[in-house]
Amino acid sequence: METVVSGIRPTGNLHLGNYFGAIKNFLKMQDNNNCFFFIADYHSLTTHPTPEDLHGNVRQVLAEYLAVGLDPEKATIYIQSDLPEVAELTLLLNMNAYLGELERTTSFKDKARQQPDNVNAGLLTYPVLMAADIIIHHAAKVPVGKDQEQNLEMTRKFAARFNRMYNVEYFPIPQPFNFGEALVKIPGLDGSGKMGKSEGNGIFLIDEPSVIRKKVMKAVTDTGPTELNSPVAEPIANLFAIMSVVSKPETLEFFKEQYVNCNIRYGDLKKQLAEDIILFNEPIREKIKEIADNKDYLRKVVSMGKEKAHASASKTLKEVREIIGFKPF
Ligand code: TRP
């Protein structure tokens, strides 16, 4: 069994795009690998959340991931800050991370542009903390989207550098776990592109029916087909794509045929789509609420995860300290 590590940012809620993309893959991975999934709350401090927001966000994100099927019996699910060994490993790795390479990281440059009044050292060393997250469990694989590829490249560099510096083969060099074609991309409601949390074009798993109706009714469409068999424009193809995962196949066929025959009414299509999304989301939304309110369960999950993650991390730190030359007197 290969060790897989993935961090989850405690910001935003899960949307349908996440559900049919990354989540599906997490669920597959936890069946076949030794998975460590953690909520990256240390990382989130770079944007200075209030203490209430910090805890609330972590709890909500944890509840959502558990509700969609992340299984604490199969994977080690923990909170990053429950593992202070990660902070220690970061400090040690920082000694071999160079200002130039950190400054050149795309995510650092982006953040520095987005929050020019808060270009803190945590932002600069974000990839070092991420490397520590990954190599602390000797991960072989890390599932990454496009936006995290460079950070993983840095992890590989830092792991190799440590090995070279101390002339050991201690840290495995983690490989990106690329879902590639297998990833179902759910488009957004704004006519083009995929569903995302920052784009404001998404439907969240926790959205109430009234919110879903409003969002779907506002989805971008076009002026409609004008001749038989005209090609389906992107905004409409997007609505069909969402329909293909939440509606019955007959429903999708019905509207596609209406499109081809030029008698489609987008209002009807949207009404149907909204109701189907509502039905699809309902059990998940209920489950999220139930778990978020179940303090005992959350406490149990978190303490189980902490224990398992700690066993793995403390062994690494003990060995790393020996390799570096911290010796007992
Ligand atoms: N940087 C990742 C993101 O923004 C989150 C993350 C933190 C992570 N540590 C990680 C992902 C380790 C994979 C492995 O999404």
Side-chain angles (χ1 to χ4, degrees), residues 188-260:
L189 296 171
D190 51 357
S192 71
K194 65 174 197 177
M195 193 175 280
K197 51 179 152 225
S198 42
E199 289 78 2
N201 64 2
I203 294 191
F204 297 107
L205 300 177
I206 53 150
D207 279 346
E208 300 283 338
S210 60
V211 175
I212 294 175
R213 287 193 191 102
K214 217 179 275 161
K215 285 182 177 175
V216 174
M217 294 320 280
K218 276 203 302 207
V220 173
T221 52
D222 61 5
T223 51
T226 49
E227 52 189 271
L228 284 183
N229 297 311
S230 43
V232 184
E234 194 181 355
I236 312 306
N238 288 350
L239 297 183
F240 284 154
I242 301 175
M243 203 168 228
S244 75
V245 294
V246 298
S247 304
K248 294 202 188 93
E250 308 87 271
T251 308
L252 178 63
E253 273 322 300
F254 174 79
F255 285 103
K256 278 193 166 168
E257 206 176 295
Q258 286 210 319
Y259 188 93
V260 168

Side-chain angles (χ1 to χ4, degrees), residues 5-9 38 40 43 80 126 130 133-134 142-144 147-148 151:
V5 171
S6 189
I8 298 160
R9 259 173 296 171
F38 66 93
H43 274 117
Q80 187 184 31
Y126 186 110
M130 182 158 156
D133 290 329
I134 294 168
V142 181
V144 282
D147 63 325
Q148 297 299 314
N151 280 337

Side-chain angles (χ1 to χ4, degrees), residues 267-317:
D268 293 347
L269 166 75
K270 286 177 169 182
K271 264 189 209 134
Q272 181 69 46
L273 180 59
E275 295 315 307
D276 289 344
I277 294 174
I278 290 165
L279 275 182
F280 179 86
N281 275 15
E282 186 156 85
I284 307 174
R285 186 167 49 97
E286 290 298 315
K287 191 107 193 255
I288 292 173
K289 274 197 207 143
E290 184 192 310
I291 293 179
D293 289 341
N294 191 341
K295 283 217 168 103
D296 286 341
Y297 177 65
L298 289 176
R299 198 177 303 122
K300 205 177 105 200
V301 168
V302 165
S303 84
M304 232 171 85
K306 177 176 172 173
E307 198 177 310
K308 286 197 275 177
H310 175 72
S312 158
S314 62
K315 179 168 180 289
T316 303
L317 261 295

